[in-house]
Amino acid sequence: MRLALFDLDGTLVDRAAALSATVAGLCRDHGYRPEVAEWLLAELAEHGGRDVLGRLPERFGVTESAEHLWRVYVDRMAASVVCRPAVLESLGRLRERGWSVGVVTNGSSDLQRAKIRSAGLADLVDGIAASGDIDVRKPDARLFELAAARCGTQLTAGDWMTGDDPVKDIAGGRGAGLRAIWVRGRAWPDGLDVPHHSVADVVEAVDHLLERSGG
């Protein structure tokens, strides 16, 4: 079985656009001041959210509970996240050619799975490993191993990881023994080993996998 693992945020879906829409809507509905929205966008840029939202009552004196804010955040993120039709189609082609498809993602289990369902990815993915499942985050190899297990297999030298983060996805994937495809966008850190391949978007990554496998 050939295994292709993919990052979720910034790779399969546009997290940045969903986050902007979510924060704007949450703050508008609750009547929060502009500085609350600015702080949330900055704090949530690279983090999952539950701990950040939990600091809102103390930092800004909001009256809503942290649990309420988290439920609203999850619902709004799921409603706002989008996976392009071309990406969905490409994953479908990959599975038709005999590949197993997994998602390995940092973030809370409920949030990441809600986004996967809402974006239309659930039926195209064989297994999901979110860092919230076992409190281990990329680039830790154990999260990649969990993703493979949930796809019904084990990591092998012929498997691939595709993602946009040079450290978490590419170095992490390589550390787990995977070949790595980088979705360009972030700056590449000095001294980090280059990926096996780089692409403009995930559709190109799937095309590369199919070409290499004769698909």
Side-chain angles (χ1 to χ4, degrees):
M1 179 184 294
R2 294 167 294 188
L3 176 65
L5 298 179
F6 295 87
D7 167 55
L8 180 63
D9 297 314
T11 301
L12 293 176
V13 301
D14 185 348
R15 179 181 184 268
L19 179 62
S20 180
T22 293
V23 169
L26 185 151
C27 291
R28 180 182 63 249
D29 291 350
H30 292 82
Y32 294 161
R33 304 186 304 276
E35 54 265 35
V36 176
E38 294 172 4
W39 182 83
L40 280 174
L41 282 174
E43 291 295 310
L44 292 168
E46 293 290 341
H47 300 90
R50 188 185 290 271
D51 59 331
V52 173
L53 292 165
R55 299 201 302 271
L56 269 181
E58 180 179 354
R59 184 177 183 89
F60 292 101
V62 304
T63 58
E64 290 77 18
S65 69
E67 186 58 32
H68 165 78
L69 292 172
W70 176 250
R71 290 197 303 269
V72 172
Y73 179 74
V74 169
D75 289 345
R76 282 193 170 274
M77 281 293 285
S80 300
V81 76
V82 173
C83 183
R84 293 184 294 120
V87 174
L88 298 173
E89 190 274 336
S90 68
L91 293 179
R93 286 191 292 120
L94 196 59
R95 295 184 80 210
E96 288 172 1
R97 299 301 193 276
W99 287 76
S100 184
V101 175
V103 172
V104 54
T105 175
N106 286 345
S108 298
S109 299
D110 53 349
L111 173 61
Q112 300 304 79
R113 284 175 169 77
K115 289 192 290 188
I116 286 170
R117 290 192 299 270
S118 181
L121 288 161
D123 292 337
L124 297 171
V125 171
D126 298 293
I128 302 164
S131 63
D133 295 343
I134 56 173
D135 199 25
V136 167
R137 298 177 61 83
K138 293 182 294 184
D140 193 308
R142 288 174 291 177
L143 199 61
F144 299 89
E145 293 166 357
L146 178 62
R150 289 185 170 169
C151 290
T153 186
Q154 300 179 39
L155 297 181
T156 68
D159 296 335
W160 289 83
M161 173 64 194
T162 298
D164 70 310
D165 191 293
V167 175
K168 297 173 186 174
D169 297 323
I170 306 308
R174 293 185 69 131
L178 300 166
R179 300 177 186 179
I181 301 176
W182 178 44
V183 179
R184 296 186 296 268
R186 298 172 183 252
W188 190 265
D190 293 337
L192 194 67
D193 289 342
V194 298
H196 294 90
H197 190 62
S198 64
V199 294
D201 68 10
V202 72
V203 176
E204 283 189 32
V206 172
D207 289 341
H208 180 73
L209 295 178
L210 292 174
E211 289 170 4
R212 290 185 62 90
S213 63

